[in-house]
């Protein structure tokens, strides 16, 4: 299930991972997704014009659910105007 983070929180499976508000994450474990929504950390994310996700071929045998993170803001590798300025 895709979720949008509304409150900053740490991943319970990898405490070094911090989810920031505005990020779109995909949580494979439906119980975990519902818990994050219930606790007010995330809301369900349903993008416009997105096809329904297929559950075929997914197993619940994994102990650590897969979490995918998408940036909601594009990050540029181009230098900014400030970075282009040479200090005199």
């Amino acid at each position: 299930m895709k979720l949008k983070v509304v409150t900053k929180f740490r991943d319970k499976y990898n405490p070094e991972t911090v989810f920031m508000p505005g990020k779109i994450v995909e949580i494979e474990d439906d119980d975990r997704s519902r818990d994050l929504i219930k606790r007010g950390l995330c809301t369900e994310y349903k993008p416009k014009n997105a096809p329904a996700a297929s559950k075929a071929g997914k197993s619940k045998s994994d102990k650590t659910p897969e979490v995918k993170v998408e940036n909601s803001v594009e990050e540029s590798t181009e230098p900014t105007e400030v970075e282009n300025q040479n200090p005199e």
Side-chain angles (χ1 to χ4, degrees):
M1 176 183 297
K2 283 194 175 188
L3 304 175
K4 183 173 184 176
V5 178
V6 293
T7 303
K8 178 181 171 180
F9 69 98
R10 288 190 185 276
D11 183 44
K12 83 178 199 179
Y13 299 110
N14 181 0
E16 293 179 8
T17 301
V18 177
F19 295 101
M20 300 301 286
K23 293 284 185 180
I24 306 302
V25 297
E26 185 168 340
I27 308 293
E28 299 294 326
D29 182 353
D30 288 339
D31 290 333
R32 175 76 173 142
S33 297
R34 286 190 294 273
D35 179 60
L36 293 171
I37 293 169
K38 181 180 175 182
R39 293 170 45 207
L41 299 173
C42 296
T43 58
E44 188 170 355
Y45 178 74
K46 293 184 180 179
K48 296 175 184 174
N49 303 327
S54 172
K55 299 253 181 188
K58 295 186 179 183
S59 69
K60 295 213 174 214
S61 63
D62 294 336
K63 292 182 180 179
T64 304
E66 182 178 352
V67 176
K68 297 177 185 174
V69 179
E70 298 175 7
N71 288 330
S72 59
V73 178
E74 290 186 28
E75 295 180 12
S76 174
T77 57
E78 296 294 321
T80 64
E81 184 176 322
V82 173
E83 291 172 338
N84 286 332
Q85 295 175 355
N86 291 329
E88 308 253 348

